[in-house]
Amino acid sequence: MEFNSFTGSIPIEIFNLSKLSTMSVQQNQLSGNLPSTFGYRLPNLEYLYLESNHLSGALPSSISNSCNLRVIEIAVNQFTGPIPTSLGDLSHLERLNLLGNKLTGDSTSPELSFITSLTKCQYLSILDLGDNPLHGIIPDSHSNLSTSLEKLTAPNCKIKGSIPDGIGNLRSLILLDLSNNDLTGSLPATIKDLQKLQYMDLSMNKLISRVPLHLLCALHRLDTMNLGQNQFMASIPKCLRKSYIP
């Protein structure tokens, strides 16, 4: 039912279709909340597409009871409250897109504990968190995220603290975007281990340059890099100083 002009809330009867494997209502004008019993009623759901609507309220913890979920796309809505740690129980999860909501981290912990829970999702390849007021620190446990993770984006999330050294363990990363946050400290030396990285945006933070920037020369597949609006004072590495004549 995607790409229509549906309004109002999602009919409650849809959540009783226990054999449903795909629900796609993206790109409508739907509003209202998801029922707290969401996962109990849709045990066979594999693909959930709710993006670009006006849905609000909490993301129900019971979503983990839809244990076959592979894709969750709820970007560009108005969901609020903490990101449930129960998402980590979705052992088949491949893509999680929470972009453009009002979701937060756990208020009882300075760390983004939901990231720790997602380390159990061994097939996770895409994690989009951007434009949510997460207000937290990236936990060291992020280094245990899936070895299949190719895309990690969390721009404009009010993330603070430093980029942990464990970032180098995510060796399948192709795209990394942590721009427009409150990150401090230097680039971890382990960033050189991201040999598949093609796009990196760390702009608009408060990063400094204790570690020489020449480590970036090891990223041979890097096509686009933005380090603007930080506090780097190191010289530009020779590998980035090539002149190209059109």
Side-chain angles (χ1 to χ4, degrees), residues 156-176:
N156 193 30
C157 289
K158 302 187 186 299
I159 297 175
K160 50 194 175 183
S162 59
I163 302 174
D165 288 339
I167 192 77
N169 288 353
L170 305 179
R171 300 194 178 191
S172 293
L173 268 188
I174 295 173
L175 189 153
L176 174 64

Side-chain angles (χ1 to χ4, degrees), residues 62-130:
S62 69
I63 196 170
S64 62
N65 289 88
S66 295
C67 58
N68 294 312
L69 269 170
R70 297 177 181 274
V71 173
I72 299 176
E73 292 271 357
I74 67 165
V76 194
N77 279 287
Q78 299 170 25
F79 288 109
T80 57
I83 297 172
T85 56
S86 61
L87 289 172
D89 295 328
L90 296 172
S91 59
H92 301 291
L93 191 63
E94 298 170 9
R95 188 161 81 231
L96 178 60
N97 186 355
L98 308 179
L99 173 74
N101 283 282
K102 300 176 183 177
L103 296 164
T104 65
D106 183 357
S107 60
T108 64
S109 171
E111 292 191 339
L112 299 174
S113 55
F114 71 89
I115 291 180
T116 301
S117 71
L118 291 174
T119 60
K120 295 184 289 182
C121 302
Q122 60 178 323
Y123 301 112
L124 189 65
S125 63
I126 296 176
L127 178 57
D128 284 331
L129 305 171

Side-chain angles (χ1 to χ4, degrees), residues 142 162-171 176 184-195 197 200 202 207-219 232:
H142 87 287
S162 59
I163 302 174
D165 288 339
I167 192 77
N169 288 353
L170 305 179
R171 300 194 178 191
L176 174 64
T184 57
S186 60
L187 287 178
T190 55
I191 208 163
K192 70 181 186 304
D193 297 325
L194 303 180
Q195 289 293 303
L197 199 64
M200 179 171 69
L202 302 177
L207 298 170
I208 58 175
S209 55
R210 289 198 191 100
V211 175
L213 291 180
H214 65 72
L215 61 88
L216 297 173
C217 297
L219 303 177
F232 294 118

